Amino acid sequence: MEDNTNTTYRAEYTVSEDSATSGNDKAKAASAAEAANYSTSSDCAHSGEAGSPKKLKPKFPWLRILAMMLVCVLLGGAVGGLTVHEIGMLPPNSSNSKHSENDSSVTNMLQNAQPKATEAAKTLLKKDSKLLTPAQIGEKASLAVVAINTRTRVQSIFGQADAEGAGSGVLISPDGTIVTNNHVINNATSISVNLANGKKYDAEIVGQDPTTDLAVIKIKGKNFPYLSMGDSAKVKMGDQVVAIGNPLGELEGSLTVGYISATNRNLSVKEDDGRVTTMYGLLQTDAAINRGNSGGALINMYGELIGINSMKTSAVGVEGLGFAIPVSTVRPVVDDLVKYGKVKNRPSIGITGRAISDEVAREYEYPKGIYVLSVLKGSPAEKAGLKKGDVITAINGKSVASVADINGIKVQLKAGDVIKVQIYRNGDQHEVSLTLAGEN
């Protein structure tokens, strides 16, 4: 489910409930809204371009100006030394994936290649019963964080040329499986990995997912030290964290310390080709994260991986705004990439909708939530009994006030999961169970 928004403002032009409510004012409001020239969006991951909603006059114009000054830039890829990708992910190109055509061999890659871990790897797997110091975490976890170097063919006014890029990655299995950001390795013609012990390996792409900006690559070998994944759902604002990566593509194994500034952040990132990608449910941290840190590890004080560092906000006078993809998102995506080379059966609800603005909520006495504009035939929403005019107020007990809120919840789930959906209908609150369907 995608929001009809852009990077500078969120469209809150809304319809109110039509067929399910009484009162001429509400009916007129719904009719006027639906007659206006705007398009709705589906919860499908790759729905079409939305129409241009009417912009509302901001109450505080200076906030708009400040927001426009803040540019979220991806951190991966120093190109040609210290030159870096300034903004956005490289255009997705799934044809570059080099995963096996034999599904069974890919599915069994981890299952059939799990050699006995070394003592160092075992140490990384074991959760310490007490909090560690940053120095202790650095001593152990840095062994599992790698530097990634890529070569890519680029077009210039002089013809095609090779460009070099750099980023970070995290070993998540003793068989050499590494998770990183998709924008670090996308379109790469060659990928090399440097370990903390100085050894260098060639890597192959197992799978890529541009939607979540995650990718899995693999190096040949066994008994590699690796990090176990923690529980990012338990992460709270104020928790201390450690970030380890390869800033600027030259400072391998750099460690910075900070705190979780916020959880569940949704950010829009402008890519190199002009498209806008929204990232959901991100962890915000003030640990120093720089370009080249993309794909590196965000670690809790028990030495567990809780996020993959991905982006930062960069502007004059702005400091300490780094963001990581939580492992609650990473885990199911990596599982699919290892098994299928792509994310299979991305969860879908099957509605189109729009956020209810504060003004509409006050004027027509609606709760904050997502107004259901339509329910797709045969979808999980239809089977669960959702109707046009319903207002989705919460999912699994979490309040939703925007389409991004719903997508942020969905990205951490998989097809077949059952969710509890709280809806407002005809002045009453209801709860329905909905089984997510798979969207190929």
Side-chain angles (χ1 to χ4, degrees):
M1 185 173 185
E2 294 184 358
D3 205 353
N4 292 332
T5 64
N6 59 32
T7 54
T8 59
Y9 71 96
R10 181 174 299 282
E12 294 182 339
Y13 184 60
T14 309
V15 298
S16 55
E17 189 174 10
D18 48 6
S19 59
T21 58
S22 59
N24 293 332
D25 289 342
K26 294 185 178 182
K28 290 179 181 178
S31 299
E34 291 191 2
N37 183 25
Y38 71 91
S39 63
T40 64
S41 60
S42 169
D43 72 310
C44 298
H46 301 287
S47 61
E49 283 293 321
S52 298
K54 180 179 179 181
K55 297 183 181 179
L56 298 179
K57 184 177 181 181
K59 295 180 179 179
F60 304 102
W62 62 270
L63 289 177
R64 174 72 53 79
I65 296 172
L66 177 60
M68 294 175 66
M69 293 173 62
L70 301 180
V71 181
C72 288
V73 295
L74 294 171
L75 311 171
V79 180
L82 296 181
T83 304
V84 297
H85 297 302
E86 289 294 334
I87 186 166
M89 290 177 285
L90 295 173
N93 182 0
S94 58
S95 63
N96 195 46
S97 298
K98 300 177 182 178
H99 63 274
S100 170
E101 297 295 333
N102 187 334
D103 277 348
S104 62
S105 64
V106 175
T107 302
N108 295 326
M109 184 181 72
L110 286 180
Q111 297 174 353
N112 297 334
Q114 295 285 351
K116 185 176 180 181
T118 62
E119 290 304 316
K122 288 180 180 179
T123 302
L124 292 170
L125 276 171
K126 181 180 178 183
K127 176 178 176 178
D128 292 84
S129 59
K130 62 180 181 179
L131 296 176
L132 304 175
T133 66
Q136 290 171 324
I137 292 173
E139 183 179 359
K140 295 194 300 182
S142 62
L143 300 175
V145 180
V146 304
I148 297 175
N149 296 287
T150 64
R151 295 184 68 85
T152 306
R153 295 291 290 175
V154 296
Q155 187 69 38
S156 70
I157 59 174
F158 303 106
Q160 286 194 335
D162 284 331
E164 295 181 347
S168 307
V170 182
L171 281 156
I172 57 170
S173 171
D175 72 339
T177 301
I178 297 169
V179 62
T180 185
N181 285 136
N182 182 61
H183 72 266
V184 170
I185 54 87
N186 195 41
N187 294 326
T189 56
S190 66
I191 304 171
S192 62
V193 171
N194 294 342
L195 270 59
N197 61 9
K199 293 185 178 180
K200 183 176 180 179
Y201 296 82
D202 291 330
E204 291 191 351
I205 296 175
V206 175
Q208 300 175 251
D209 184 43
T211 299
T212 56
D213 192 27
L214 291 169
V216 173
I217 61 176
K218 192 172 187 296
I219 57 177
K220 294 181 179 180
K222 58 183 180 179
N223 294 339
F224 292 108
Y226 67 103
L227 280 176
S228 61
M229 294 188 188
D231 186 355
S232 58
K234 295 180 179 179
V235 174
K236 297 179 181 179
M237 181 173 62
D239 285 351
Q240 191 175 24
V241 290
V242 168
I244 302 178
N246 179 31
L248 305 182
E250 294 185 349
L251 304 174
E252 299 176 15
S254 293
L255 179 150
T256 58
V257 181
Y259 294 88
I260 295 294
S261 305
T263 61
N264 201 32
R265 292 295 199 198
N266 302 322
L267 293 178
S268 294
V269 182
K270 190 174 182 180
E271 301 178 6
D272 288 347
D273 62 358
R275 294 180 301 109
V276 175
T277 298
T278 302
M279 307 288 288
Y280 301 103
L282 301 175
L283 299 174
Q284 179 184 331
T285 179
D286 66 349
I289 295 176
N290 296 286
R291 294 171 182 136
N293 275 111
S294 270
L298 189 67
I299 303 168
N300 65 18
M301 302 312 290
Y302 292 102
E304 297 173 312
L305 181 68
I306 58 169
I308 298 297
N309 298 322
S310 182
M311 65 184 74
K312 68 179 294 183
T313 297
S314 179
V316 176
V318 175
E319 299 290 344
L321 293 178
F323 301 90
I325 305 168
V327 294
S328 56
T329 298
V330 174
R331 187 178 285 108
V333 171
V334 168
D335 286 346
D336 271 9
L337 293 181
V338 168
K339 292 178 182 178
Y340 312 113
K342 64 179 183 179
V343 175
K344 192 173 181 180
N345 294 325
R346 200 181 300 276
S348 173
I349 294 175
I351 64 168
T352 62
R354 182 175 292 278
I356 292 180
S357 68
D358 291 333
E359 293 173 307
V360 170
R362 285 193 301 267
E363 185 172 354
Y364 298 105
E365 298 181 352
Y366 277 136
K368 290 286 290 181
I370 302 301
Y371 182 92
V372 177
L373 293 167
S374 66
V375 178
L376 304 183
K377 187 175 181 180
S379 68
E382 183 184 57
K383 294 175 182 178
L386 267 66
K387 300 178 180 180
K388 178 181 178 180
D390 287 346
V391 177
I392 299 175
T393 59
I395 295 178
N396 288 344
K398 295 182 179 179
S399 297
V400 293
S402 67
V403 175
D405 289 340
I406 292 181
N407 284 334
I409 294 172
K410 282 200 317 170
V411 77
Q412 301 180 37
L413 302 171
K414 61 183 183 299
D417 285 347
V418 178
I419 59 176
K420 298 292 184 181
V421 182
Q422 288 76 45
I423 60 173
Y424 172 86
R425 177 188 297 165
N426 295 332
D428 296 322
Q429 296 286 344
H430 304 272
E431 181 177 277
V432 298
S433 294
L434 185 151
T435 302
L436 295 171
E439 173 193 320
N440 293 317

